């Protein structure tokens, strides 16, 4: 995997776990890599199944730590509506299989909301993506809802949300500080609070290039979200 500039299979989760205990920082979640190679919706069966097996390897490695949640993109970047239905079915089946595998290690798979034409850019698509398996959960990236509002999404999917990516935007994917964009934070927070579940939130707050790593700050508890991939 070093062709991507990072050895995804080389992360020493045992060492990270030891450090987390030493410094009292909880390893909350691990963001699985995302690219055309790591695509649960891949149209090519061989490529899609290979991605699934690689995801399993990464989850097994992560299980050496106290991580109980892995975040996954349901698709790579999609630029055309062609074959969207087939991609959706592929993603649903592979995500369901991955959730069953992760459960063997006590880990939940959280499907992240995505922007633009990616799969999972609205409430209805997230509902469909997690429909085959009750073990599948949701990572609600409030920056990535293309249709509807954040409040509507939270109210509809609330019982499946296990983690959040929190930032504001003027144009989707800006990743601004809260209150610097157009999200109605009062309505969103009220909707989440009505659900009554304490969620770890991660604040993505900077513009990044391919050479700059994601800046992630935990804003609730001493939690850490491991995201080894450069932001795209």
């Amino acid at each position: 995997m070093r062709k991507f500039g990072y050895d995804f299979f080389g992360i020493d989760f045992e060492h990270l776990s030891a450090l987390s205990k030493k410094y009292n920082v909880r390893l909350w979640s691990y963001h699985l890599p995302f690219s055309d190679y790591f695509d649960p919706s891949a149209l090519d069966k061989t490529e899609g199944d290979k991605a699934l097996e690689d995801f399993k390897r990464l989850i097994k490695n992560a299980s050496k730590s106290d991580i109980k949640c892995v975040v996954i993109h349901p698709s790579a970047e999609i630029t055309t509506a062609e074959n969207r239905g087939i991609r959706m079915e592929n993603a649903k089946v592979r995500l369901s299989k991955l959730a069953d595998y992760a459960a063997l290690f006590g880990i939940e798979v959280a499907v992240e909301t995505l922007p633009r034409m990616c799969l999972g850019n609205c409430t209805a698509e997230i509902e469909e993506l997690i429909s085959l398996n009750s073990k599948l959960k949701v990572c609600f990236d409030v920056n990535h809802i293309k249709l509807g509002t954040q409040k509507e999404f939270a109210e509809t999917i609330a019982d499946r949300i296990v983690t959040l990516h929190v930032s504001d935007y003027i144009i989707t994917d800006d990743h601004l500080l809260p209150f610097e964009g157009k999200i109605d934070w009062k309505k969103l927070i009220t909707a989440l609070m009505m659900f009554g579940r304490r969620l770890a939130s991660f604040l993505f707050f900077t513009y990044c290039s391919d050479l700059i790593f994601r800046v992630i700050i935990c804003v609730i508890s001493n939690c850490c979200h491991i995201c080894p991939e450069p932001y795209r």
Side-chain angles (χ1 to χ4, degrees):
M1 289 306 134
R2 285 197 177 277
K3 67 179 181 178
F4 294 101
Y6 194 91
D7 182 9
F8 298 109
F9 299 109
I11 299 175
D12 189 342
F13 280 96
E14 290 176 303
H15 179 61
L16 288 175
S17 184
L19 289 175
S20 75
K21 291 178 174 62
K22 179 179 179 180
Y23 295 105
N24 192 31
V25 175
R26 181 180 178 185
L27 298 181
W28 176 265
S29 60
Y30 168 44
H31 202 312
L32 294 171
F34 49 94
S35 67
D36 290 337
Y37 181 88
F38 293 102
D39 183 1
S41 76
L43 296 172
D44 184 278
K45 184 179 186 302
T46 300
E47 291 180 1
D49 291 347
K50 178 64 166 60
L52 177 61
E53 292 307 308
D54 284 340
F55 285 137
K56 288 180 178 179
R57 286 178 60 195
L58 292 165
I59 288 173
K60 185 176 182 179
N61 191 26
S63 72
K64 297 173 185 177
S65 69
D66 296 328
I67 289 172
K68 297 302 179 186
C69 173
V70 294
V71 176
I72 187 169
H73 284 194
S75 77
E77 195 71 35
I78 296 175
T79 58
T80 175
E82 185 179 3
N83 295 319
R84 190 175 187 84
I86 298 174
R87 283 186 176 278
M88 177 64 75
E89 290 304 313
N90 290 347
K92 286 164 60 178
V93 171
R94 290 175 183 134
L95 289 171
S96 179
K97 291 179 179 179
L98 194 63
D100 284 336
Y101 180 80
L104 299 175
F105 302 95
I107 293 175
E108 292 180 319
V109 175
V111 181
E112 183 179 346
T113 53
L114 295 183
R116 296 176 295 277
M117 292 184 66
C118 300
L119 295 186
N121 63 11
C122 62
T123 303
E125 286 202 351
I126 288 293
E127 285 186 298
E128 185 172 358
L129 284 163
I130 63 177
S131 63
L132 292 186
N133 196 328
S134 61
K135 296 186 184 75
L136 280 169
K137 305 301 179 182
V138 173
C139 169
F140 182 17
D141 188 323
V142 303
N143 204 288
H144 288 171
I145 293 297
K146 179 181 178 183
L147 302 174
T149 67
Q150 287 77 13
K151 175 178 178 291
E152 291 166 351
F153 182 90
E155 290 174 340
T156 305
I157 310 290
D159 62 336
R160 304 288 284 273
I161 299 173
V162 294
T163 193
L164 307 172
H165 290 173
V166 178
S167 61
D168 214 332
Y169 70 95
I170 298 172
I171 300 174
T172 301
D173 240 9
D174 284 340
H175 295 117
L176 305 176
L177 284 167
F179 306 104
E180 289 187 351
K182 62 183 182 181
I183 290 178
D184 189 327
W185 290 98
K186 182 177 180 179
K187 288 183 178 179
L188 173 59
I189 293 170
T190 299
L192 291 171
M193 293 297 289
M194 285 177 65
F195 178 46
R197 188 166 180 175
R198 193 163 182 263
L199 300 168
S201 304
F202 301 95
L203 185 62
F204 290 18
F205 72 94
T206 187
Y207 295 95
C208 299
S209 71
D210 288 340
L211 299 178
I212 302 176
F213 277 70
R214 231 177 255 229
V215 179
I216 302 174
I217 292 181
C218 176
V219 295
I220 299 179
S221 303
N222 292 328
C223 299
C224 179
H225 173 67
I226 300 173
C227 183
E229 189 163 18
Y231 179 74
R232 301 180 184 186

